[in-house]
């Protein structure tokens, strides 16, 4: 895949980039190694100063970088501005809390006295150079939620971003440089996927994190496993959205629309499968379909647009194949089901709701990365939970109910990294984020995330005499 900015709203190629050659990659690896030797010895106050400065600069740049993201991958510009603001929030959160999250742990003396120690400490030390392989759908946020905790922990970063967001990738490197980070602390590598393996195998790279597709995660995990290097993977999701009899159906339906089409439907944590109890199914269906029909599909730079284009021609083709397969096997399109009229340029797809979906259809088990929802009617909570878990993924989940017993049952039985009641899934710096099953492993954000790329070191002190 060429490294290029291609406007998905028009299909126009705006700029192409030459991938880095082997000599430049070597120079950057050496710079990262040298930067880590310095950066790991800095204190939290200095790291926080740098990260807060980066946050200030990003806040100043928000309107410009939002337009860049929109032009490169098609998200509505209002959503891009919100993404930039979220990154600022996360940077400041880690600048404020990292020292506390990585503070030395002092086991109670009674717990270690039988080891012969006079005292013992657990100290969190950085691992080194971390390679981040990042996706295009949240081109700023996905990187910042890795970079902010990694840099605050004393690690340094190498970014291999998706090949269709090179301008955003280069902006990120420039942002950290302007904030005052020493050369090599954070570098963007404009390279193709074929160059990742050699970099990951390099002894100067200590670990890797990847957000992306299941095949990409499998590839990186395989190489890292062969080299015995730590990885964190956040892969696909096909999140369930359960609506149970005690739910506020009107609010659940309104939120469902946003939950499905956020980021033009291209979010791993977007609700995709709407599993509704028979008692409230008809009411929810009518409200949800009406809300999806009312969405404005159009130019993502227009502030009145709700849904922009899918990010690539291939992405839209994948979506069409899933929908056409379902329709061909008896599914019903309650709205949408194809390309919107009057949109001859760009890679637009209409907000779609599919009913009468069965397990034999691909859309039942595969992730739909675009504004397509599947709608199911269930008899009871048992059937809802079984259906919710009947996919290879386990990223997050949403449940609408006022019943505390239902809530406890869902927390116990839903196979997911998160359970969100009476609201849509969202990430927050203070809460761990990640999945189970084929959605990956490890956690980002919160204290769990910052400690993923740390060496939890046991420091044991024996008698001095």
């Amino acid at each position: 895949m060429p490294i290029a900015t291609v406007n998905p709203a028009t299909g126009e190629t705006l700029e192409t980039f030459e991938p880095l050659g082997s000599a430049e990659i070597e120079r950057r690896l050496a710079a990262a190694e040298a930067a880590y030797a310095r950066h790991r010895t800095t204190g939290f106050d200095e790291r926080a100063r740098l990260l807060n400065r980066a946050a200030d600069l990003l806040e100043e740049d928000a309107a410009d970088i939002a337009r860049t993201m929109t032009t490169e991958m098609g998200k509505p510009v209002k959503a891009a501005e919100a993404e930039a603001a979220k990154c600022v929030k996360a940077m400041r959160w880690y600048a404020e809390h990292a020292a506390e999250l990585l503070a030395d742990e002092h086991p109670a003396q009674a717990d270690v006295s039988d080891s012969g120690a006079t005292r013992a400490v657990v100290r969190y030390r950085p691992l080194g150079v971390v390679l981040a392989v990042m996706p295009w759908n949240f081109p700023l946020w996905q990187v910042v939620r890795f970079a902010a905790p990694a840099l605050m922990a004393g690690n340094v970063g190498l970014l291999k971003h998706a090949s269709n967001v090179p301008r955003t990738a280069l902006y990120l490197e420039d942002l950290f440089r302007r904030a005052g980070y020493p050369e090599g602390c954070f570098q963007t590598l404009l390279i193709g996927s074929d160059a990742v393996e050699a970099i990951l195998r390099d002894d100067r790279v200590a670990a890797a994190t990847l957000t992306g597709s299941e095949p990409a995660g499998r590839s990186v995990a395989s190489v890292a496993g062969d080299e015995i290097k730590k990885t964190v993977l956040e892969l696909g999701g096909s999140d369930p959205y359960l609506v149970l009899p005690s739910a506020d159906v009107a609010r659940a339906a309104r939120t469902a629309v946003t939950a499905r089409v956020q980021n033009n439907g291209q979010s791993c944590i977007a609700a995709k499968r709407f599993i509704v109890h028979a008692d409230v199914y008809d009411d929810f269906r009518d409200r949800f379909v009406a809300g999806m029909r009312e969405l404005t599909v159009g130019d993502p730079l227009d502030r009145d647009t709700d849904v922009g284009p899918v990010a690539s021609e291939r992405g839209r083709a994948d979506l069409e194949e899933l929908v056409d397969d379902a329709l061909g096997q008896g599914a019903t399109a309650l709205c949408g089901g194809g390309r919107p009229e009057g949109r001859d340029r760009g890679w637009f797809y209409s907000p779609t709701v599919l009913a009468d979906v069965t397990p034999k259809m691909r859309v039942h088990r595969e992730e739909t990365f675009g504004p397509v929802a599947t709608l199911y009617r269930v008899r009871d909570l048992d059937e809802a939970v079984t259906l919710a878990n009947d996919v290879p993924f386990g990223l997050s989940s949403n449940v609408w109910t006022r019943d505390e017993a239902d809530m406890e049952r869902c927390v116990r039985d839903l196979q997911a990294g998160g359970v969100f009641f009476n609201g849509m899934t969202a990430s927050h710096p203070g809460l761990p984020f990640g999945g189970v099953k084929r959605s990956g492993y490890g956690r980002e954000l919160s204290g769990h995330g910052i400690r993923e790329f740390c060496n939890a070191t046991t420091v044991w002190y024996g008698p001095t005499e």
Side-chain angles (χ1 to χ4, degrees), residues 30 39 78 112 133 148 189 216-217 238 253 278 291 295 300 426 432-433 445 456:
H39 188 60
K78 291 184 295 185
V112 299
V133 182
L189 305 179
S238 189
L295 294 168
F433 181 87
L445 302 176

Side-chain angles (χ1 to χ4, degrees), residues 257-258 261 290-298 304-307 351-352 371:
V257 174
T258 304
V261 302
M292 293 285 276
R293 283 179 174 154
E294 291 171 0
L295 294 168
T296 299
V297 179
D304 292 328
T305 290
D306 299 309
V307 180
T352 297

